[in-house]
Amino acid sequence: MCCAPAHFEKKGYSMAIDRVFVEDVGKFDGQVITLKGWLYNKRSSGKIWFLLLRDGTGVIQGVVSGNDVSPEVFDLYERLTQESSIIITGQVHGDKRAPGGYELWVKDVRIIQTADDFPITPKEHGTAFLMERRHLWIRSRRQNAILKIRHEIIKAIRDYFDSKKFTLVDAPIFTPAACEGTTTLFETDYFGEKAYLTQSGQLYMEAAAMAFGKVYCFGPTFRAEKSKTRRHLTEFWMVEPEVAYADLNDIMGLAEELIEFIVTRVLENRLELLKILERDLSKLETIKRPFPRIHYDEAAAILKGADTEFVYGSDFGGADETLISNNFDRPVMVYQYPADVKAFYMKNNPDDPSKALCVDVLAPEGYGEIIGGGQREDDLDTLKAKIQKQNLPEEAFDWYLDLRKYGSVPHGGFGLGIERTVGWICGLEHVRETIPFPRLMHRIYP
RNA sequence: UCCGGAGUAGCUCAAUUGGCAGAGCGGGUGGCUGUUAACUACUAGGCUGGGGGUUCAAGUCCCUCCUCCGGAGCCA
């Protein structure tokens, strides 16, 4: 309370927040403005030199001429190193030669701090080198664009569910036992007892759906699997809606509407960033409902004769998912996998008990599964039998079974992986660039 | 855990059959009034991941360990 800057108290707003940013310079054409940021790059041609200032919202070129500035300012060129923090004042000038349409005719430059040998130069670097310096890498234009698109995607997801009157219900991070029992969990000491980091908020969302009708949670998820692929992180973010009185068809409708909404929003609001990433926009513009819906058997038929080790009755591998999705120009919804390869809480198809009422959404262009979900088992005895069959500790699921004792209804939901969705929309090679500080099997630094 | 690949200058990479360790960028010193990863001249910079072995001679071949990358399984 003692430390609030004076201007907060006096005026009720912050000059630091409301100052001019690069993304807004177009509104000030011809005016003299001050920009605060960091030196992205510089070039000299002798009696005139150029600086690129970035401030997180964009990059603008400043033109420094010996005719317009004092000799002291002109000579700052020597001391300006990459990523030095600087405040520049100058006149906004529209110029076709400028990448952003505007440049600044510099009148004054103030160096706040001279950076010492910034390690990430404007030239090429390997991913290992860059990941080791992820805290600095996120300053680069490309990483900046990806993380802003991530923000837009997250905001779109929240806006979608909020507009549909879903209630946000946060699931716990510490959990007493496996939600699914199949995958490896991160174990932690909880006051002398074992606890685990959540691998899904879904079971809690089922409880919440019975309380609020339509709910979603959004948070981090942890998987201790030793997966080293372009699609895996040990810590990733997932949004998990759950709806009471919903069946598999309802869930598929929800999934395709959400995905269409997200892609449309990114195309509307973040086109410039997609261009920085050189994303093939035509691949996103086709993402319109309805999405193809194919039965597991149809997906299996696509793989027949293809070069794959897939055997009917098993789950699809990463290569199989690519083979399937390559047949479509939008996400494909594969439904009713064999019940044996799916989690215990999935409801079986009453007309074909060997299949689960589940759906996976496979993104186009080989980006793989971005959604997994379906209808949940709502019958108490069937659920108990499944828990026993998979050798899960029944006592750990007492509370979950209560949901089937007190007003059980058909219901369902899904989990959407944020990083895979970002990777797909941005057209990236690897999900590690879709999260600010990725956690991978061999990386927990920085 | 298994399969494959890589490790050489600060960074990205070359180096023929085992035969003098190289380039671009970055750094340093200069030149240039419209540059867009600016251009340009000169210059410094190396325990070739660690250890062991074969050989007259190893960046190169063999053994071993470490680290990283990609993939499989599993999953979002």
Side-chain angles (χ1 to χ4, degrees), chain A residues 216-343:
Chain A
Y216 71 103
C217 65
F218 186 88
T221 305
F222 307 89
R223 303 276 166 92
E225 284 144 6
K226 296 181 176 177
S227 300
K228 293 194 294 181
T229 81
R230 69 185 68 196
R231 301 183 305 280
H232 288 88
L233 299 166
T234 56
E235 177 182 313
F236 64 97
W237 288 67
M238 197 155 62
V239 60
E240 294 175 278
E242 192 75 26
V243 182
Y245 289 103
D247 63 16
L248 178 61
N249 268 322
D250 297 324
I251 295 309
M252 289 198 279
L254 185 67
E256 66 178 355
E257 193 174 60
L258 172 65
I259 292 173
E260 182 193 71
F261 185 86
I262 294 169
V263 174
T264 302
R265 179 71 81 78
V266 173
L267 283 171
E268 280 172 4
N269 293 351
R270 297 297 185 174
L271 200 57
E272 291 307 311
L273 299 178
L274 290 171
K275 285 176 181 169
I276 288 175
L277 300 175
E278 296 175 312
R279 182 65 167 114
D280 183 350
L281 298 176
S282 69
K283 293 281 202 294
L284 296 178
E285 284 157 354
T286 58
I287 311 303
K288 299 289 177 195
R289 286 177 294 162
F291 295 169
R293 302 183 182 194
I294 63 172
H295 189 279
Y296 173 86
D297 290 350
E298 296 173 74
I302 289 173
L303 296 176
K304 210 159 194 179
D307 180 24
T308 168
E309 291 170 18
F310 170 77
V311 287
Y312 184 88
S314 66
D315 207 345
F316 303 118
D320 301 328
E321 291 178 350
T322 302
L323 285 166
I324 295 164
S325 68
N326 280 348
N327 289 274
F328 307 96
D329 64 352
R330 60 199 75 192
V332 54
M333 301 197 274
V334 183
Y335 60 90
Q336 291 198 25
Y337 284 61
D340 288 344
V341 303
K342 289 293 176 181

Side-chain angles (χ1 to χ4, degrees), chain A residues 157-439:
Chain A
I157 289 168
R158 288 196 180 280
D159 286 350
Y160 175 80
F161 286 119
D162 293 348
S163 72
K164 294 272 175 181
K165 303 286 179 65
F166 280 63
T167 301
L168 174 70
V169 180
D170 299 313
I173 306 292
F174 288 126
T175 58
C179 287
E180 305 188 13
T182 52
T183 48
T184 321
L185 297 166
F186 283 106
E187 189 181 302
T188 182
D189 176 76
Y190 196 79
F191 303 112
E193 285 185 39
K194 284 181 181 175
Y196 305 89
L197 300 185
T198 181
Q199 60 176 346
S200 168
Q202 184 211 311
L203 303 191
Y204 296 98
M205 287 308 100
E206 290 187 51
M210 300 306 137
F212 298 90
K214 293 180 286 188
V215 299
Y216 71 103
C217 65
F218 186 88
T221 305
F222 307 89
R223 303 276 166 92
E225 284 144 6
K226 296 181 176 177
S227 300
K228 293 194 294 181
T229 81
R230 69 185 68 196
R231 301 183 305 280
H232 288 88
L233 299 166
T234 56
E235 177 182 313
F236 64 97
W237 288 67
M238 197 155 62
V239 60
E240 294 175 278
E242 192 75 26
V243 182
Y245 289 103
D247 63 16
L248 178 61
N249 268 322
D250 297 324
I251 295 309
M252 289 198 279
L254 185 67
E256 66 178 355
E257 193 174 60
L258 172 65
I259 292 173
E260 182 193 71
F261 185 86
I262 294 169
V263 174
T264 302
R265 179 71 81 78
V266 173
L267 283 171
E268 280 172 4
N269 293 351
R270 297 297 185 174
L271 200 57
E272 291 307 311
L273 299 178
L274 290 171
K275 285 176 181 169
I276 288 175
L277 300 175
E278 296 175 312
R279 182 65 167 114
D280 183 350
L281 298 176
S282 69
K283 293 281 202 294
L284 296 178
E285 284 157 354
T286 58
I287 311 303
K288 299 289 177 195
R289 286 177 294 162
F291 295 169
R293 302 183 182 194
I294 63 172
H295 189 279
Y296 173 86
D297 290 350
E298 296 173 74
I302 289 173
L303 296 176
K304 210 159 194 179
D307 180 24
T308 168
E309 291 170 18
F310 170 77
V311 287
Y312 184 88
S314 66
D315 207 345
F316 303 118
D320 301 328
E321 291 178 350
T322 302
L323 285 166
I324 295 164
S325 68
N326 280 348
N327 289 274
F328 307 96
D329 64 352
R330 60 199 75 192
V332 54
M333 301 197 274
V334 183
Y335 60 90
Q336 291 198 25
Y337 284 61
D340 288 344
V341 303
K342 289 293 176 181
F344 74 92
Y345 50 72
M346 295 283 190
K347 186 177 178 64
N348 290 6
N349 180 358
D351 301 325
D352 176 8
S354 72
K355 299 293 194 301
L357 292 176
C358 65
V359 59
D360 280 5
V361 180
L362 308 181
E365 303 170 75
Y367 280 94
E369 182 183 350
I370 54 172
I371 279 181
Q375 194 172 335
R376 319 306 186 189
E377 180 53 64
D378 49 30
D379 179 72
L380 179 63
D381 293 331
T382 310
L383 192 56
K384 273 185 179 172
K386 286 188 165 193
I387 288 172
Q388 280 165 11
K389 191 180 170 190
Q390 297 204 12
N391 282 322
L392 298 170
E394 194 178 315
E395 60 279 6
F397 294 99
D398 275 350
W399 69 269
Y400 185 65
L401 292 168
D402 274 355
L403 305 175
R404 275 67 179 173
K405 287 182 196 164
Y406 307 116
S408 186
V409 299
H411 65 287
F414 60 79
L416 174 130
I418 299 301
E419 286 75 19
R420 286 188 185 175
T421 303
V422 176
W424 161 51
I425 290 176
C426 291
L428 305 180
E429 286 293 310
H430 199 300
V431 291
R432 67 187 156 207
E433 290 181 43
T434 65
I435 185 167
F437 296 97
R439 294 294 172 248

Side-chain angles (χ1 to χ4, degrees), chain A residues 29-42:
Chain A
D29 197 5
Q31 297 181 46
V32 174
I33 60 165
T34 295
L35 293 170
K36 302 183 178 184
W38 296 263
L39 187 84
Y40 199 70
N41 202 356
K42 65 175 180 178

Side-chain angles (χ1 to χ4, degrees), chain A residues 9-270:
Chain A
E9 292 162 1
K10 280 182 190 164
K11 301 204 173 183
Y13 66 89
S14 164
M15 288 302 292
I17 294 168
D18 295 332
R19 68 177 192 271
V20 179
F21 283 87
V22 171
E23 64 183 353
D24 296 320
V25 293
K27 299 173 187 168
F28 298 90
D29 197 5
Q31 297 181 46
V32 174
I33 60 165
T34 295
L35 293 170
K36 302 183 178 184
W38 296 263
L39 187 84
Y40 199 70
N41 202 356
K42 65 175 180 178
R43 291 177 276 274
S44 171
S45 187
K47 295 292 187 296
I48 186 170
W49 57 270
F50 307 88
L51 61 82
L52 290 176
L53 174 133
R54 63 158 196 92
D55 70 352
T57 72
V59 178
I60 190 169
Q61 173 166 277
V63 184
V64 185
S65 164
N67 298 332
D68 298 339
V69 299
S70 67
E72 290 75 25
V73 169
F74 191 82
D75 291 342
L76 286 179
Y77 183 84
E78 301 301 326
R79 291 173 47 206
L80 273 181
T81 52
Q82 191 190 351
E83 287 303 317
S84 289
S85 36
I86 54 172
I87 297 176
I88 64 173
T89 299
Q91 186 181 29
V92 179
H93 197 86
D95 192 311
K96 286 178 192 158
R97 291 171 293 189
Y102 296 92
E103 58 183 26
L104 203 67
W105 289 2
V106 174
K107 296 182 181 309
D108 190 31
V109 178
R110 276 176 58 205
I111 298 179
I112 305 305
Q113 194 223 8
T114 301
D116 189 22
D117 290 329
F118 190 72
I120 302 174
T121 65
K123 292 289 177 179
E124 64 211 69
H125 299 283
T127 45
F129 178 86
L130 292 166
M131 289 302 311
E132 199 67 22
R133 294 156 183 82
R134 181 65 174 171
H135 52 298
L136 305 175
W137 189 20
I138 55 177
R139 300 183 184 192
S140 74
R141 208 184 312 222
R142 192 180 156 80
Q143 297 305 311
N144 220 256
I146 294 167
L147 294 177
K148 277 186 188 158
I149 290 172
R150 175 191 172 97
H151 171 222
E152 188 71 42
I153 288 168
I154 290 170
K155 188 167 185 302
I157 289 168
R158 288 196 180 280
D159 286 350
Y160 175 80
F161 286 119
D162 293 348
S163 72
K164 294 272 175 181
K165 303 286 179 65
F166 280 63
T167 301
L168 174 70
V169 180
D170 299 313
I173 306 292
F174 288 126
T175 58
C179 287
E180 305 188 13
T182 52
T183 48
T184 321
L185 297 166
F186 283 106
E187 189 181 302
T188 182
D189 176 76
Y190 196 79
F191 303 112
E193 285 185 39
K194 284 181 181 175
Y196 305 89
L197 300 185
T198 181
Q199 60 176 346
S200 168
Q202 184 211 311
L203 303 191
Y204 296 98
M205 287 308 100
E206 290 187 51
M210 300 306 137
F212 298 90
K214 293 180 286 188
V215 299
Y216 71 103
C217 65
F218 186 88
T221 305
F222 307 89
R223 303 276 166 92
E225 284 144 6
K226 296 181 176 177
S227 300
K228 293 194 294 181
T229 81
R230 69 185 68 196
R231 301 183 305 280
H232 288 88
L233 299 166
T234 56
E235 177 182 313
F236 64 97
W237 288 67
M238 197 155 62
V239 60
E240 294 175 278
E242 192 75 26
V243 182
Y245 289 103
D247 63 16
L248 178 61
N249 268 322
D250 297 324
I251 295 309
M252 289 198 279
L254 185 67
E256 66 178 355
E257 193 174 60
L258 172 65
I259 292 173
E260 182 193 71
F261 185 86
I262 294 169
V263 174
T264 302
R265 179 71 81 78
V266 173
L267 283 171
E268 280 172 4
N269 293 351
R270 297 297 185 174

